Amino acid sequence: MDGPGANTCHVSSEQESKLMFWRFLCSGPSDSPTAPRIKGDISPPESPEFHNAHEPLIIESPTIEYVNLDNASCTEGEDRILILTPLRDAAPYMDRYFRLLSELTYLHRSIDLAFLVGDSKDGTLGALQDEVKRLQSPSSPFRFRSAMIIEKDFGDNLSQSVEERHSFKAQGTRRKGIGRARNYLLYAALRPEHRWVYWRDVDIVENPVTVIEDLMKHDRDIIVPSERLMRLSIVLSSLIVLLDIWFHRTGKDGKEIEGRYDYNSWQESWRGCRLRSKLDKDTILAEGYKEYRTHRSALNWMAYDDPKKRLKHLHDEVPLDGIGGVNILVKADVHRAGINFPCYAFENQADTEGFAAMAKRAGYGVYGLPNYVVWHVDTEEKEGNLKGRKDKKKAKSDVG
């Protein structure tokens, strides 16, 4: 339109009534509701009114997901659980690991599996892929809800020989490296629906098939069994009812020797506290070595020697300050709260021992079951700083 009024906006009577309606609903005092008011005026301040005439907008998009962490999902009444296993040069253990995994009685449809393979040179990745494909095939009666394989090399060149990887000088670097691998695995695999995380080593020889249910029923933030070692050629009928990580070994005289494993699960001592107070903050204190005489009470030495007594006190709990990594059951919310496996010195500990220290600092409970035994492959390790200690049996008397 040319001429005067070309830029004038004309509205119909119906449009004008709508504009007046909006002006009315959007009216209110010109000053802020929080502005100073006349002294003595006790009436409530007037608030502006707002009205949205549009219908609610419903967004249906595959890129938007709603997560309610107050109600992690269940499958047929079972809590969802994530089993995590970091792997390095572990090909020889694959067959037994997956056999034991298949025998677990916890509902497999409620279990997700995740593995991290790093710095391996023995074909671990290929062996793992074969086992996972077999386990998760449509015809498999042992299928789990899902399985994830993660590859991540960290440039770790430490030998996997017992002499080198368990030497005292290797412990700081080794434990920080393991902690880093655990964290990568955890953050890649943890999902909102998981209520529990079950850390499980690849070189377990035997365990109760009900291990998940047994640990879960304690309803602790963090709980570990005790651990012992066993040679692969030895099979014991009593293994199905026990869990401390122990070993069986044939001595030079042909007799069977039963012993403890994994001194990373312990209660702090005053000597340990004094030692840590003198160490540099970046020093990793490795338990189980004569270089650091902490005199801590190891979980394994709290167990009864008599199998009948162990069975009677199977679910006795003890509070712990440090834990090992062979079997750990953790409430997933503990990890979500930021409690992970330090790949640095945290209170002079790293990896699983640092994890326990961090959890305790945050107010979570850390517990162990000294008489519940899981059997670990025999690494033929030495007794470390427990050798010849007169007080190593003393810890047993603290239980029962």
Side-chain angles (χ1 to χ4, degrees):
M1 180 184 300
D2 298 325
N7 295 323
T8 303
C9 178
H10 296 279
V11 297
S12 65
S13 59
E14 180 180 355
Q15 289 173 320
E16 184 175 5
S17 64
K18 287 184 178 180
L19 288 174
M20 292 176 64
F21 175 71
W22 273 97
R23 284 197 296 271
F24 173 76
L25 287 182
C26 293
S27 66
S30 58
D31 58 342
S32 167
T34 59
R37 300 164 62 204
I38 300 174
K39 187 174 181 180
D41 182 4
I42 60 173
S43 61
E46 296 183 36
S47 299
E49 297 180 53
F50 298 97
H51 175 75
N52 187 348
H54 295 288
E55 293 295 326
L57 181 60
I58 300 176
I59 300 175
E60 295 181 354
S61 170
T63 64
I64 299 175
E65 182 179 3
Y66 173 75
V67 175
N68 185 354
L69 288 176
D70 288 328
N71 296 296
S73 64
C74 298
T75 303
E76 297 184 15
E78 300 279 356
D79 289 352
R80 285 283 296 278
I81 186 169
L82 173 64
I83 297 181
L84 298 178
T85 301
L87 301 168
R88 182 188 172 198
D89 292 339
Y93 306 111
M94 286 298 169
D95 180 69
R96 180 174 290 268
Y97 174 88
F98 280 94
R99 178 179 66 78
L100 295 176
L101 209 61
S102 300
E103 293 173 354
L104 294 174
T105 57
Y106 197 82
L107 187 66
H108 286 199
R109 291 190 298 277
S110 294
I111 299 177
D112 298 292
L113 308 175
F115 309 88
L116 185 143
V117 181
D119 300 301
S120 289
K121 302 177 178 64
D122 71 341
T124 294
L125 181 60
L128 174 64
Q129 290 172 333
D130 290 342
E131 291 288 350
V132 169
K133 287 179 181 178
R134 177 186 59 78
L135 181 67
Q136 295 298 100
S137 67
S139 60
S140 171
F142 306 110
R143 289 182 68 185
F144 291 86
R145 187 179 183 91
S146 70
M148 176 187 293
I149 297 175
I150 303 162
E151 291 185 70
K152 174 60 181 175
D153 290 332
F154 299 95
D156 186 355
N157 297 315
L158 182 67
S159 169
Q160 287 295 86
S161 68
V162 173
E163 292 77 12
E164 184 170 343
R165 68 190 175 103
H166 288 290
S167 66
F168 173 74
K169 67 179 181 180
Q171 291 314 297
T173 301
R174 176 175 174 265
R175 297 186 186 198
K176 288 188 286 187
I178 296 174
R180 183 179 296 108
R182 289 187 192 276
N183 291 334
Y184 269 77
L185 175 56
L186 172 65
Y187 295 133
L190 185 63
R191 299 173 185 170
E193 58 266 27
H194 292 134
R195 288 193 176 185
W196 299 88
V197 178
Y198 175 41
W199 292 91
R200 182 181 175 91
D201 270 7
V202 69
D203 45 3
I204 292 173
V205 176
E206 198 61 78
N207 60 251
V209 295
T210 57
V211 60
I212 293 177
E213 298 96 312
D214 292 342
L215 296 179
M216 193 179 288
K217 73 180 183 181
H218 286 264
D219 196 30
R220 294 297 189 179
D221 298 323
I222 303 167
I223 193 165
V224 296
S226 189
E227 303 157 9
R228 303 193 180 195
L229 304 177
M230 184 204 300
R231 290 208 172 181
L232 293 177
S233 59
I234 299 172
V235 178
L236 300 177
S237 60
S238 62
L239 295 182
I240 201 159
V241 292
L242 300 173
L243 190 67
D244 178 6
I245 309 250
W246 290 30
F247 73 74
H248 266 267
R249 183 181 298 166
T250 304
K252 294 180 180 179
D253 57 0
K255 294 182 178 180
E256 296 298 330
I257 304 171
E258 184 183 80
R260 279 75 168 173
Y261 175 72
D262 194 356
Y263 296 118
N264 301 125
S265 296
W266 41 263
Q267 292 176 339
E268 186 59 280
S269 66
W270 68 268
R271 289 185 180 89
C273 290
R274 184 177 64 180
L275 175 61
R276 285 194 296 110
S277 69
K278 296 179 180 179
L279 292 175
D280 181 85
K281 66 177 183 178
D282 293 323
T283 299
I284 303 296
L285 202 167
E287 185 60 29
Y289 293 84
K290 64 179 182 298
E291 286 81 357
Y292 291 133
R293 296 188 178 276
T294 61
H295 292 265
R296 289 165 169 167
S297 297
L299 177 66
N300 289 333
W301 290 108
M302 300 181 195
Y304 289 102
D305 291 324
D306 184 351
K308 291 183 179 180
K309 284 189 174 181
R310 288 209 298 267
L311 183 58
K312 182 179 179 181
H313 296 274
L314 192 62
H315 289 282
D316 285 0
E317 295 180 354
V318 294
L320 296 175
D321 299 297
I323 60 172
V326 176
N327 262 258
I328 312 173
L329 185 67
V330 185
K331 288 184 177 179
D333 281 350
V334 174
H335 283 314
R336 291 190 182 102
I339 312 303
N340 58 22
F341 301 89
C343 54
Y344 53 90
F346 181 87
E347 296 185 359
N348 296 112
Q349 308 292 168
D351 189 28
T352 56
E353 291 170 293
F355 169 65
M358 188 180 293
K360 298 268 289 192
R361 173 76 74 86
Y364 292 105
V366 182
Y367 293 86
L369 305 178
N371 295 297
Y372 193 94
V373 181
V374 160
W375 298 86
H376 189 277
V377 65
D378 185 4
T379 57
E380 298 189 357
E381 296 177 56
K382 298 180 180 179
E383 289 187 86
N385 68 6
L386 294 181
K387 185 175 182 179
R389 266 178 46 181
K390 295 180 180 179
D391 67 328
K392 65 182 181 181
K393 289 286 184 180
K394 182 180 179 181
K396 286 180 57 181
S397 63
D398 296 337
V399 178

